[in-house]
Amino acid sequence: MNELPHQILEHPAEHGWKAGFEAFLAAHPDLDTLEVILPDTNGVLRGKWLPGSALPKVFEGGVAFPYSLFGLDVWGREVEATGMHLETGDKDGVCWPIPETLKLVPWADRKTAQVLLSMYDRDGEPFLADPRHVLENMVARLKSEYGVSATCAFELEFYLFQESDGDWTEQPKPLFSTHLGPARQNMYALSDLEALLPVVDDLRKACEAQGIPADAAVSEAAPGQFELNLHHRRDPLLAADDVVLLRRLVAGVARKHELKASFMAKPFVEWPGNGMHVHVSMEDENGNLFADPETGGERLGYAINGLLKTMPEALLLFISTFNGFRRMQPGSYAPASICWGYDNRSVALRVPASSPEAARVEHRIAGADANPYLVLTGILAGMMEGLTLQKDPPAPVTGNAYEKRKKRLTPWMDEAIDAFEASKLMKKAVGKEMHKVLTEIKREELNEFGREISSLERQTYL
């Protein structure tokens, strides 16, 4: 680890972390490896492997990483337009562990622990280009301006492939695919889960070992596609941490079984993409705002209207990859228009059938590869806007939303970038630092894809 000049000496969680850390250290004195993990702007995991003996030093003194890690594109390259690289001297910040995420890594060959980090400056202030701090600020605003908190639960879809030699230039074949007859969707098929019983069993055991509140596992709407549901959390930060850790867990367990797990938003043209569905409710001292027999339905409508109003300008937070915009196709189980409905899976915002006390919105736009901290920031910003404006939403959609004449969500990344960049509301929601960084990174990524000449172009024009 690098030594930090003028490094702050106190963990930002003060002394609340010490009891759990000391108990972990006492239970695992033979720890071989420690993985420190810092999710970047894209949700890509950066970090280091350290000897297990470094665990006390990490908790007591933090870990040095350059601020510029949050100015990298999806390929891990510096985006100079962010202003975060050599022009600043490429200085180090202080990354402190998130105590609740210190867990053993069950799929590792050696006794290994992992812990998520969050970035601070040397004076102990949160570094505001860190997506976790962006969400933290939004949660604080929700509390200070409205006196409410949010409860959140995520659902994640992914594909499983047979592991290859690393060359994915050709279209891969997911598990259970066939070249004979129609595609075997096998939606909700128990047979697919039973065929992968050792994998599913290891996923369950790993979630239990890491305290990740995973619930149902289902076979989804394409061959080799699956979904894992997470229990709700009353802390949005922990809910987003669960997503980061679950994606890593799924990839690690799959690799152990010589499989590749992919959360890519749209791996195939002909089959459904991978979504990240988010269930959100809001609470005050009296409980769920949306469950109140007198005002709950009205407040739920306000929140929905705010989400609909802000959807175009927040879209880059929900779909942040070039590939992700390919998922926004009518009839694909991904929302294509700005609308809502009751218990309707063709809309962008679904109000699930539930008991009154569980009244909530299911936000269905994000791709499974999105950054969960930024996804939740965009959702909470939209709901706050709705509570501020206090306007009723348009009529809910019944039937197939793809057949209705509703305003479409753009399938073009450049339009989403422009809308996000021009939005004063989004600048306030994510902060000026993240607003600039995300805009510049995504514009550079889009330019890079634009410089590629596809095989289809060559087949057509040569």
Side-chain angles (χ1 to χ4, degrees):
M1 286 182 295
N2 301 327
E3 294 298 328
L4 293 172
H6 312 299
Q7 184 176 346
I8 55 175
L9 299 178
E10 278 291 326
H11 192 293
E14 296 180 344
H15 301 291
W17 56 270
K18 288 188 176 179
F21 160 72
E22 291 171 354
F24 186 92
L25 198 60
H28 307 289
D30 56 340
L31 194 64
D32 181 90
T33 305
L34 174 65
E35 300 175 345
V36 291
I37 302 168
L38 184 64
D40 74 2
T41 307
N42 285 292
V44 174
L45 302 185
R46 313 289 175 186
K48 299 178 182 180
W49 285 2
L50 303 171
S53 59
L55 182 58
K57 189 174 182 180
V58 167
F59 269 79
E60 293 165 4
V63 185
F65 278 109
Y67 296 118
S68 59
L69 280 185
F70 294 103
L72 302 178
D73 65 17
V74 73
W75 297 285
R77 306 175 309 173
E78 297 176 346
V79 178
E80 296 297 337
T82 62
M84 297 178 69
H85 301 285
L86 289 179
E87 61 271 31
T88 68
D90 204 14
K91 296 179 180 178
D92 281 338
V94 188
C95 293
W96 289 100
I98 300 164
E100 298 88 348
T101 66
L102 176 61
K103 304 290 181 181
L104 290 180
V105 180
W107 59 88
D109 292 330
R110 297 172 293 180
K111 189 166 187 179
T112 302
Q114 66 179 30
V115 68
L116 288 182
L117 304 175
S118 194
M119 177 79 79
Y120 293 78
D121 67 26
R122 293 174 187 171
D123 295 322
E125 293 298 315
F127 182 60
L128 297 181
D130 180 336
R132 196 175 193 274
H133 288 312
V134 170
L135 176 58
E136 188 174 36
N137 283 349
M138 177 56 66
V139 171
R141 277 186 58 199
L142 194 65
K143 188 68 174 177
S144 64
E145 295 178 23
Y146 295 92
V148 299
S149 58
T151 292
C152 314
F154 285 84
E155 300 170 353
L156 284 175
E157 296 168 335
F158 60 95
Y159 277 91
L160 286 178
F161 303 97
Q162 292 290 346
E163 188 60 274
S164 77
D165 57 4
D167 179 11
W168 297 94
T169 54
E170 300 296 326
Q171 177 167 300
K173 290 184 178 181
L175 297 184
F176 310 126
S177 63
T178 176
H179 64 282
L180 299 174
R184 292 351 186 220
Q185 283 187 293
N186 270 353
M187 192 180 294
Y188 292 95
L190 291 177
S191 60
D192 284 4
L193 295 176
E194 290 165 353
L196 290 172
L197 186 58
V199 179
V200 174
D201 198 39
D202 277 356
L203 287 172
R204 178 183 59 80
K205 290 177 180 177
C207 285
E208 289 176 356
Q210 294 202 325
I212 297 175
D215 190 359
V218 298
S219 175
E220 264 293 341
Q225 188 186 38
F226 301 88
E227 180 182 85
L228 285 174
N229 298 339
L230 289 161
H231 285 295
H232 67 268
R233 291 272 204 179
R234 297 192 181 278
D235 183 343
L237 289 165
L238 295 183
D241 291 342
D242 287 339
V243 173
V244 171
L245 296 174
L246 181 64
R247 287 193 300 210
R248 188 164 192 272
L249 181 153
V250 170
V253 170
R255 189 166 54 249
K256 183 178 178 182
H257 290 269
E258 299 184 342
L259 299 171
K260 178 178 177 61
S262 176
F263 294 89
M264 181 179 178
K266 188 67 175 173
F268 306 101
V269 172
E270 68 273 27
W271 290 329
N274 291 320
M276 176 191 291
H277 302 160
V278 192
H279 295 250
V280 184
S281 62
M282 290 183 166
E283 294 81 31
D284 61 12
E285 65 277 5
N286 297 316
N288 188 345
L289 290 186
F290 308 145
D292 186 282
E294 295 183 1
T295 62
E298 189 176 50
R299 285 172 165 175
L300 179 61
Y302 295 160
I304 288 171
N305 189 63
L307 287 168
L308 294 173
K309 175 181 178 292
T310 59
M311 209 171 278
E313 59 200 292
L315 189 60
L316 191 65
L317 299 177
F318 310 138
I319 305 171
S320 59
T321 65
F322 181 81
N323 172 261
F325 286 89
R326 298 186 183 277
R327 180 172 156 265
M328 311 304 288
Q329 299 176 9
S332 67
Y333 288 98
S337 58
I338 302 173
C339 60
W340 73 285
Y342 291 103
D343 201 17
N344 187 333
R345 286 185 169 85
S346 65
V347 298
L349 304 175
R350 171 178 173 253
V351 178
S354 70
S355 61
E357 58 270 20
R360 63 194 185 276
V361 178
E362 180 189 2
H363 191 278
R364 298 176 57 80
I365 301 172
D369 53 1
N371 187 316
Y373 304 108
L374 298 182
V375 169
L376 266 183
T377 299
I379 293 172
L380 296 181
M383 296 176 83
M384 286 179 64
E385 180 73 357
L387 293 177
T388 300
L389 296 177
Q390 296 189 3
K391 292 185 177 180
D392 294 329
V397 167
T398 57
N400 188 349
Y402 300 117
E403 298 175 350
K404 310 294 182 181
R405 297 180 64 85
K406 297 290 182 180
K407 183 179 179 181
R408 289 284 306 276
L409 287 163
T410 182
W412 304 109
M413 189 175 185
D414 60 335
E415 294 183 356
I417 294 172
D418 290 344
F420 178 79
E421 183 178 31
S423 172
K424 293 181 180 178
L425 182 68
M426 287 300 106
K427 189 173 185 179
K428 182 179 180 181
V430 303
K432 63 181 181 180
E433 295 87 356
M434 177 57 75
H435 190 258
K436 175 178 174 57
V437 166
L438 187 63
T439 299
E440 298 296 352
I441 287 175
K442 293 306 162 184
R443 204 175 294 285
E444 179 56 32
E445 290 178 5
L446 178 61
N447 290 340
E448 190 64 35
F449 280 103
R451 288 189 282 266
E452 282 289 313
I453 298 174
S454 70
S455 59
L456 178 60
E457 287 177 82
R458 293 192 178 94
Q459 292 171 14
T460 304
Y461 300 117
L462 274 182

